[in-house]
Amino acid sequence: MKRILYIVLLATVLLAGCNSSFIFGTDEAVPRVQPVFAGYQIPPNFVPQALVITALGDSLSQGVGDEENRGGYVGRLASEMRDWPGVYGVGVENTAKRGRRSDQLLAMFQKGELTGPVTEADYIVMTIGGNDIMRIVKRDLFNLNIEAFQEELIFYENRYRNIYAAIRSMNQHAPLIVIGLYNPFSLITDEINEFDTIITAYNDAMETALTEDPQACFVPVEDLFEGNENLVYHTDFFHPNGNGYGLMQERIVERMGECGLVFDDRG
């Protein structure tokens, strides 16, 4: 993991302040809750007057870094959906917050803080996991090893599946769009490194958890943020800029079509 240490030391200054303060402690896996979901069936003649998008998770769903002030990928997605046939309006309920980790998001579900926004949603979008990884980076900065990330992945996957189960217990029908993680350290080196392996493992775990849900769709974005040739990063070199969020929105719509979750394909 010497390469990771070298990369992280170079990036530490850039990442300072990008996330909220971290709370350290011993994670214990809670019992996994099995999700319940049902297929989405809409009568052919049913056309809603408006759609509601509920955004969950961290700074990426909040839109941090969007210098165009268009609401990140969520705001751009809402604008795109307003042009869909049969859609006469799109509202956004954005509950995402900078620095949020999966344990914090799960706690919000357990406290009932997200019941309203999730229950009322016609579409749910979520980004989570980046701050879980960065917690390990900051905690073990001078003693990084891949085993620490692999151990954390076990706890993360358990929390993630419980988040997913909580969403489906509140809303069985709304399409759930989960956006994957990317490796911001690719800005420093274009060589494949241990962080690529870590990010891939976390993405694979998230995608696998959704495979049996016909109303869920995983959106990979890792390739969009390999280096900065397309000028996709904000000046903090961690979050996307307006161009980066635009590419995310395009990828999301593309994947929604592949998953059969675009509105005019569901009637």
Side-chain angles (χ1 to χ4, degrees):
M1 295 292 287
K2 290 184 178 179
R3 184 179 296 275
I4 285 186
L5 178 58
Y6 172 73
I7 293 171
V8 172
L9 286 173
L10 289 178
T12 300
V13 175
L14 299 177
L15 297 179
C18 287
N19 302 290
S20 61
S21 58
F22 294 96
I23 300 174
F24 305 120
T26 301
D27 252 330
E28 294 184 2
V30 296
R32 180 174 298 167
V33 180
Q34 293 299 322
V36 178
F37 54 82
Y40 196 8
Q41 297 180 349
I42 297 180
N45 61 344
F46 177 77
V47 178
Q49 298 299 307
L51 298 175
V52 175
I53 302 174
T54 292
L56 305 172
D58 54 29
S59 58
L60 297 186
S61 289
Q62 186 182 0
V64 173
D66 184 1
E67 79 285 356
E68 299 175 10
N69 295 317
R70 295 179 55 193
Y73 80 84
V74 178
R76 288 167 172 78
L77 179 60
S79 295
E80 168 85 12
M81 293 172 68
R82 291 185 183 103
D83 293 332
W84 288 1
V87 175
Y88 297 100
V90 177
V92 174
E93 181 74 25
N94 199 325
T95 68
K97 183 178 179 181
R98 184 176 192 161
R100 185 170 288 152
R101 303 186 308 270
S102 62
D103 61 311
Q104 296 167 326
L105 181 59
L106 179 58
M108 293 178 70
F109 276 104
Q110 293 169 338
K111 294 175 183 177
E113 296 176 4
L114 296 172
T115 302
V118 171
T119 302
E120 298 168 2
D122 296 296
Y123 281 85
I124 302 168
V125 295
M126 179 171 70
T127 56
I128 199 70
N131 293 303
D132 295 70
I133 291 176
M134 289 309 302
R135 176 171 63 171
I136 303 298
V137 172
K138 291 190 173 185
R139 185 190 68 192
D140 300 340
L141 181 59
F142 295 102
N143 189 32
L144 284 173
N145 61 83
I146 198 168
E147 288 77 16
F149 295 96
Q150 293 170 337
E151 292 173 2
E152 170 60 21
L153 176 57
I154 297 173
F155 295 110
Y156 173 75
E157 184 176 6
N158 185 72
R159 293 191 297 267
Y160 173 81
R161 286 181 176 271
N162 278 298
I163 289 168
Y164 165 70
I167 292 172
R168 282 302 181 226
S169 71
M170 298 174 184
N171 191 327
Q172 299 180 21
H173 305 292
L176 171 61
I177 316 300
V178 177
I179 296 88
L181 306 175
Y182 60 86
N183 178 11
F185 299 118
S186 66
L187 279 171
I188 300 171
T189 175
D190 58 2
E191 296 180 12
I192 296 177
N193 55 64
E194 290 92 338
F195 263 103
D196 293 311
T197 302
I198 293 164
I199 296 297
T200 298
Y202 277 69
N203 282 335
D204 287 347
M206 288 190 285
E207 183 173 16
T208 299
L210 305 178
T211 53
E212 296 182 2
D213 187 343
Q215 291 300 113
C217 190
F218 180 79
V219 182
V221 296
E222 188 175 0
D223 61 301
L224 301 179
F225 297 94
E226 291 178 353
N228 199 27
E229 292 182 2
N230 294 323
L231 301 178
V232 293
Y233 282 95
H234 180 58
T235 53
D236 63 6
F237 298 108
F238 188 79
H239 295 98
N241 59 15
N243 185 45
Y245 281 120
L247 293 176
M248 287 178 67
Q249 176 262 321
E250 292 175 3
R251 175 65 58 80
I252 290 168
V253 172
E254 176 185 348
R255 283 290 295 142
M256 288 173 68
E258 293 171 353
C259 294
L261 301 181
V262 174
F263 178 74
D264 60 350
D265 287 338
R266 292 173 5 200

